[in-house]
Amino acid sequence: MNRQINRMHVDSDVDFSSRYRYETFRSLLKKNSTVLQLMADLEVDLNFNRQGGRGIHRPARELLDTTLLMAEELNILTADKHRKLYAVLENLSQRIRKEMEREAEIDEAPLAMQVSAEPADARLVGGKAAGLAAVMQVYPAMTPPAFVITSKAYRLLIEENHLEENLRLLMKDLEVVTDIDAFTSRTYALRNLFLEARVPKSVSELIAAQASELDRSGDVRWAVRSSATCEDQELSFAGQFDSALDVSTDHLEQAYKQVVASCFSDRAVRYRFANGIREADIQMAVLFMPMVDADFSGVIYTDDPVSTNDSQMLINAVPGLAQQMIQGAQPADIYRLEKNDTFRLIESVAAIDSQNGQPLYERKLPETALRQIVETSRELCLRFGHEMDIEWSLAQDGRMWLLQGRQLQVHAKKRHRPPDKKAVADIEGGITIFPGRAEGPVEHISDEQSPVIQQKGAVAVARSAAPQLVKILPHLGALIVETGNPVGHLATLAREQSVPCLFRVGPGIWRFKPGAVVSVDATHRRIYRGSRWPEVRERMRTRLLAEKVHRSPDPLYHLLLALNLTDPYSSGFKAKKCLSIHDVIRFIHEMAVRSMFDFGDRQNRPWKSRAIGIETPIPIKIKLLDLDGSIAHRGKTAQPQEIDSVPFGALWRGVSDPRVLWQPRTLRAMDLMPSDFEERVMGGEKGPRRRRATNYLIVAQDYLNFNARFAYHYAMIDAVVGPWPENNHVNFRMRGGGGGDAGRIRRASFIERVMRHYGFGVDRRQDLITAWFRYHSQQASEEVLEMLGRLMACGRQLDMLLTGDEMVKRYADQFLNENYRAFA
């Protein structure tokens, strides 16, 4: 009741435009809380649900509508400065609605379909089947017949067996589970949900019908392979899901469940976590393909990913099937060939028997087959416009089959510094899988199926290139493997993770004892004992601590929830750079906060005569404008304790801290250069404000804007502090001073050091400091405001005291150690 009465007084006293501006800002912040909650709910729903699900449509539309209202309020605050946002929002809205309509069409899509030479939707048939269909368009006679049980069937399997709730419970917070037994027990339970589920009758009948159509004789053996909706896209998911080979027609249904269950193998789940992949992005379609009676099999990379030469291809080949080779368990013969129209074999490296050191295979891939593989893959590259990773098989009858085709992810090839010829490596040789240098302690991997490392940045030494090693790849400084193939699953994953890596180094790697520091030059295939390049450790640390990038292929996720505008002070922080609704919301919030920051940074307010004074023994003159009845009584002055404002109370606790002193230092004219005396002491054009000048404070219950112009510099604080972290912010700006340029810059460096310690983001340009503390709890926000109150007192004339760069750290340490008397 008292607040309502006070509000009536405020309405009659406060300038209408100021009041209207604040209420608009508060309304915008309230909507900001609403949209952040909507996005959080959508994040959960999109994490488990297909984007076209009806449950997604309503919150998505509400998000669009509320964001439009926020844009309108921002333009009220800024006098239509951001009208471009309307066009950005209209474009995003049209694209979002189009995506939701496209996804709704999948509800009418089939549960099963044959792979044909028609373009295939990867959201329905999965990446592997879509890639095979694309290859079939170019070489239909070389692509085996196949059918796919679609991602719609996967969702039907979950729905009919009521698995969704259990999936959510078992996956909840699994990413942060560190206990190995707890993690594996959950993934085991997840797989069992599918292994024990009943395949829907409609799906079971379609598996039998499709198989019967392709298996007229009844004696076909099948390859049942994963084709998840995220597979073979931006990320390969190489070796993360199971395949079932040599399956009889009678066991296809069980093989189907086995492949679907492999979505939740330990390695697949960890791979998704390491790459920021959502559950909804791995809707599992399953590909059924008759087995090829293979004489030779292998993989071709149309660009050698480990060579700096752009004109070479790489082929790996083994007799029979390639499954064990691709999994890193079987060595392969390696062929390096010219990429141009002229067929030329540059190099042939035979697989070696580790027991006797002799070539492992007597029979070699015929040159005619090599030629056909090269010519075929060259044509596919031309058709698709990118490099290819192609799995092939040469049948006993001499016929060439193309079993899988996907884009080869080739990293930019850089010129590498030459090796140090004076240094003698402890081991030389092997095959570069990913180039680069690394240092770290050695850790032996005794169990490639369940690998564990003790320390981030370690150099792991392993016997075989098992795909399960992907579990530790994100945490490694480098990987050294005794055996392995450059086109296997683990090689692909090491390149995706940018981990310096050597394969086929040989048994000599075991001479490096656990804990010993080694330096790995994967580019030049050299390993040294001890530390040789300490400077690489910072680059390693950056890679190991790199924030996960969400890699969802879901267009709706990217249009709604992806955040691309991350640096509010970059040149690219503009309305036209908003690529998602989340970007628009981020932009609106930032510009609204800046608008209120500027609100208190203007002079000659029309409400100056209506502001009331604050009674304080501190030698600074402050007048206050109350926006929402935060002062308990109306008078010409008020005591600080009478002001009911959370951010003001926090700031004032710091300003009035008895441990800090506000008495100004005595400045001696002889301390200043003659040319500076008139400007800094007598006034001049840019002279200091006089003691009679007023500092203005705008307050509401949860808002503060403090325009403090002290003797020789100005400081500005703008803050919203309340129980909702998503709205909380503390912004700070400071510039100027009575000292020389060097002193002002040192004082700015001192402030930067202190504020970074307290978790502020800081942008320092000469003596101008801009800092921000966003989205923290009320308690944390109040604590930094208290700190700012003390900092303004301690740092007021520090620009005249800091006469050397070494003093910056010393005074920062004094402040952080709460020795405020050092500033007296």
Side-chain angles (χ1 to χ4, degrees):
M1 184 66 181
N2 288 336
R3 178 169 291 278
Q4 291 177 346
I5 294 172
N6 288 335
R7 190 178 297 277
M8 293 172 61
H9 287 296
V10 172
D11 288 338
S12 63
D13 289 346
V14 177
D15 176 73
F16 175 77
S17 64
S18 302
R19 172 76 180 181
Y20 182 62
R21 187 183 185 89
Y22 169 72
E23 292 296 346
T24 302
F25 180 60
R26 292 299 305 142
S27 175
L28 188 150
L29 289 186
K30 184 176 180 180
K31 290 181 178 65
N32 186 66
S33 296
T34 299
V35 295
L36 291 180
Q37 185 59 55
L38 279 170
M39 287 196 296
D41 293 342
L42 276 168
E43 179 89 39
V44 173
D45 289 337
L46 284 171
N47 192 43
F48 287 94
N49 298 334
R50 179 177 52 85
Q51 65 181 35
R54 296 298 176 187
I56 303 298
H57 291 197
R58 184 198 57 76
R61 285 194 295 269
E62 185 178 349
L63 181 64
L64 287 169
D65 293 342
T66 309
T67 305
L68 177 60
L69 292 174
M70 289 176 66
E72 291 175 343
E73 289 176 332
L74 175 64
N75 278 303
I76 291 172
L77 286 173
T78 60
D80 282 342
K81 184 179 178 180
H82 301 290
R83 291 192 64 82
K84 290 181 180 179
L85 275 175
Y86 299 136
V88 172
L89 273 169
E90 178 60 26
N91 176 264
L92 286 170
S93 296
Q94 290 180 5
R95 293 170 61 192
I96 288 166
R97 290 188 175 96
K98 184 177 179 180
E99 283 300 326
M100 289 195 293
E101 289 169 3
R102 284 181 60 200
E103 279 297 320
E105 294 173 3
I106 293 184
D107 289 335
E108 308 302 323
L111 296 169
M113 56 193 299
Q114 287 197 10
V115 178
S116 67
E118 297 294 326
D121 188 341
R123 293 171 301 174
L124 182 64
V125 303
K128 197 172 291 181
L132 191 65
V135 171
M136 188 178 284
Q137 293 175 49
V138 184
Y139 288 109
M142 295 176 65
T143 310
F147 70 92
V148 61
I149 299 299
T150 66
S151 58
K152 182 180 177 182
Y154 172 77
R155 293 189 295 276
L156 185 63
L157 175 69
I158 292 174
E159 290 168 9
E160 288 203 0
N161 288 275
H162 309 290
L163 302 182
E164 186 176 88
E165 189 59 34
N166 284 334
L167 282 173
R168 290 191 185 220
L169 288 173
L170 289 168
M171 288 298 299
K172 184 179 179 182
D173 300 326
L174 185 56
E175 186 173 1
V176 297
V177 173
T178 56
D179 182 87
I180 295 175
D181 291 338
F183 185 92
T184 55
S185 67
R186 282 224 227 162
T187 54
Y188 176 79
L190 283 161
R191 292 193 297 278
N192 268 358
L193 290 177
F194 291 94
L195 293 174
E196 296 174 0
R198 177 181 174 274
V199 177
K201 183 179 179 182
S202 55
V203 176
S204 179
E205 290 174 348
L206 283 167
I207 291 175
Q210 292 284 340
S212 177
E213 189 170 339
L214 296 180
D215 180 14
R216 300 294 186 185
S217 63
D219 59 359
V220 168
R221 308 296 287 186
W222 295 86
V224 184
R225 309 183 70 182
S226 66
S227 185
T229 50
C230 59
E231 199 171 357
D232 288 357
Q233 305 292 307
E234 182 183 354
L235 291 173
S236 67
F237 273 78
Q240 298 311 296
F241 305 127
D242 288 349
S243 293
L245 301 181
D246 202 32
V247 180
S248 68
T249 302
D250 293 340
H251 292 88
L252 288 181
E253 187 175 308
Q254 186 61 33
Y256 169 74
K257 291 200 297 182
Q258 176 187 334
V259 173
V260 169
S262 71
C263 271
F264 300 97
S265 68
D266 287 3
R267 64 180 183 273
V269 172
R270 291 189 185 278
Y271 181 85
R272 296 203 293 278
F273 289 160
N275 290 284
I277 299 291
R278 303 172 308 136
E279 291 309 304
D281 295 328
I282 53 163
Q283 307 283 302
M284 181 61 81
V286 178
L287 182 64
F288 296 76
M289 183 187 300
M291 295 284 293
V292 173
D293 185 12
D295 188 24
F296 284 91
S297 299
V299 173
I300 179 170
Y301 285 173
T302 60
D303 183 88
D304 186 346
V306 298
S307 170
T308 56
N309 192 331
D310 288 329
S311 63
Q312 295 180 4
M313 292 181 167
L314 187 69
I315 296 177
N316 275 211
V318 293
L321 296 173
Q323 186 73 2
Q324 292 297 307
M325 179 204 83
I326 293 171
Q327 292 181 351
Q330 180 183 5
D333 290 338
I334 299 173
Y335 303 90
R336 192 166 278 109
L337 304 103
E338 282 285 0
K339 209 172 181 181
N340 57 33
D341 294 339
T342 303
F343 176 84
R344 185 170 78 87
L345 180 61
I346 299 170
E347 180 185 29
S348 175
V349 180
I352 301 300
D353 189 327
S354 60
Q355 302 297 319
N356 56 32
Q358 298 299 310
L360 189 60
Y361 311 120
E362 292 183 7
R363 297 171 56 241
K364 300 299 178 183
L365 186 65
E367 183 178 315
T368 54
L370 276 174
R371 285 181 179 273
Q372 188 176 11
I373 296 167
V374 169
E375 292 168 2
T376 301
S377 59
R378 189 182 290 142
E379 179 63 23
L380 286 170
C381 288
L382 289 173
R383 291 289 192 95
F384 297 143
H386 54 69
E387 303 295 343
M388 295 289 293
D389 169 358
I390 303 165
E391 186 179 339
W392 55 268
S393 190
L394 181 66
Q396 295 287 347
D397 60 7
R399 187 173 182 181
M400 182 67 67
W401 293 100
L402 304 176
L403 307 179
Q404 183 178 346
R406 62 187 174 197
Q407 181 174 354
L408 178 64
Q409 303 293 340
V410 180
H411 292 264
K413 297 185 178 182
K414 302 176 182 177
R415 292 188 177 275
H416 301 287
R417 68 179 72 181
D420 185 354
K421 295 182 178 179
K422 296 180 181 179
V424 178
D426 288 86
I427 291 181
E428 291 191 50
I431 298 173
T432 299
I433 300 304
F434 189 81
R437 290 179 169 183
E439 290 188 359
V442 169
E443 292 198 27
H444 290 179
I445 306 301
S446 57
D447 182 1
E448 281 85 2
Q449 301 306 306
S450 300
V452 176
I453 63 165
Q454 303 300 320
Q455 184 175 341
K456 281 191 174 183
V459 174
V461 174
R463 194 168 305 280
S464 66
Q468 286 82 356
L469 290 171
V470 69
K471 168 186 171 181
I472 60 173
L473 271 179
H475 311 300
L476 295 182
L479 174 64
I480 308 169
V481 182
E482 181 178 340
T483 60
N485 297 306
V487 298
H489 289 323
L490 186 64
T492 299
L493 300 172
R495 286 189 284 270
E496 285 180 355
Q497 300 285 346
S498 301
V499 177
C501 183
L502 288 170
F503 282 4
R504 291 200 188 180
V505 185
I509 59 175
W510 302 103
R511 73 178 66 161
F512 299 120
K513 302 301 181 185
V517 173
V518 297
S519 300
V520 179
D521 181 352
T523 306
H524 301 103
R525 304 168 187 177
R526 295 184 172 193
I527 307 172
Y528 305 86
R529 293 184 189 275
S531 171
R532 296 189 61 80
W533 318 293
E535 71 276 7
V536 307
R537 293 179 181 173
E538 186 59 34
R539 293 199 296 273
M540 284 174 51
R541 182 174 180 273
T542 299
R543 171 171 63 82
L544 293 169
L545 296 178
E547 192 173 331
K548 282 179 279 192
V549 177
H550 197 292
R551 297 176 179 266
S552 170
D554 180 347
L556 193 60
Y557 179 93
H558 288 289
L559 290 169
L560 285 171
L561 303 180
L563 182 61
N564 308 288
L565 294 187
T566 56
D567 183 0
Y569 290 95
S570 72
S571 59
F573 199 86
K574 301 174 181 177
K576 65 181 181 180
K577 296 290 186 179
C578 292
L579 303 178
S580 69
I581 298 299
H582 196 172
D583 285 342
V584 173
I585 292 165
R586 176 78 172 87
F587 180 83
I588 290 172
H589 183 267
E590 177 66 30
M591 292 303 120
V593 169
R594 288 190 194 182
S595 172
M596 294 303 287
F597 198 30
D598 295 338
F599 173 43
D601 202 17
R602 300 189 182 97
Q603 296 295 312
N604 301 316
R605 301 283 179 197
W607 37 256
K608 280 186 176 181
S609 61
R610 300 171 189 165
I612 66 171
I614 298 180
E615 296 180 10
T616 170
I618 294 172
I620 52 176
K621 186 177 180 181
I622 300 175
K623 282 199 171 184
L624 179 144
L625 177 69
D626 178 15
L627 291 177
D628 70 345
S630 295
I631 301 176
H633 73 277
R634 304 301 296 174
K636 292 184 178 181
T637 62
Q639 297 289 333
Q641 60 269 24
E642 294 176 315
I643 301 171
D644 182 17
S645 168
V646 173
F648 172 82
L651 178 68
W652 203 257
R653 286 194 293 274
V655 167
S656 59
D657 190 321
R659 296 174 297 172
V660 301
L661 298 178
W662 280 90
Q663 270 60 34
R665 281 191 176 83
T666 301
L667 300 179
R668 298 182 303 159
M670 66 280 296
D671 290 336
L672 301 173
M673 296 293 291
S675 59
D676 294 334
F677 180 80
E678 181 178 355
E679 178 64 37
R680 296 184 195 159
V681 178
M682 302 304 295
E685 294 181 2
K686 298 185 296 181
R689 295 182 63 175
R690 306 302 187 262
R691 287 186 180 275
R692 66 178 179 275
T694 302
N695 300 285
Y696 286 97
L697 187 65
I698 306 168
V699 299
Q701 188 175 26
D702 60 355
Y703 179 65
L704 164 87
N705 189 291
F706 186 30
N707 185 322
R709 278 167 166 75
F710 300 117
Y712 298 96
H713 66 271
Y714 79 82
M716 167 69 72
I717 298 174
D718 187 272
V720 168
V721 180
W724 297 279
E726 65 270 16
N727 287 334
N728 288 343
H729 70 260
V730 177
N731 284 354
F732 177 81
R733 186 185 297 153
M734 185 173 183
R735 188 171 202 168
D741 291 344
R744 294 199 304 272
I745 291 172
R746 290 188 188 108
R747 194 254 302 275
S749 297
F750 157 80
I751 292 172
E752 178 183 18
R753 184 180 287 268
V754 169
M755 299 192 86
R756 288 194 186 279
H757 174 84
Y758 281 95
F760 278 80
V762 181
D763 178 63
R764 181 175 68 83
R765 305 182 186 191
Q766 298 298 314
D767 66 333
L768 172 62
I769 284 281
T770 303
W772 56 94
F773 188 84
R774 311 274 178 85
Y775 316 124
H776 290 274
S777 67
Q778 177 173 329
Q779 179 180 344
S781 301
E782 289 189 54
E783 288 172 356
V784 297
L785 276 169
E786 284 190 49
M787 180 276 296
L788 281 179
R790 293 189 289 267
L791 185 65
M792 287 195 299
C794 293
R796 278 180 313 134
Q797 294 177 302
L798 205 56
D799 55 312
M800 300 183 190
L801 183 64
L802 297 177
T803 56
D805 292 343
E806 74 284 351
M807 300 178 71
V808 172
K809 182 178 184 303
R810 186 163 74 244
Y811 272 88
D813 289 343
Q814 296 282 15
F815 184 88
L816 296 175
N817 291 326
E818 301 185 6
N819 182 19
Y820 305 124
R821 296 293 173 176
F823 297 86

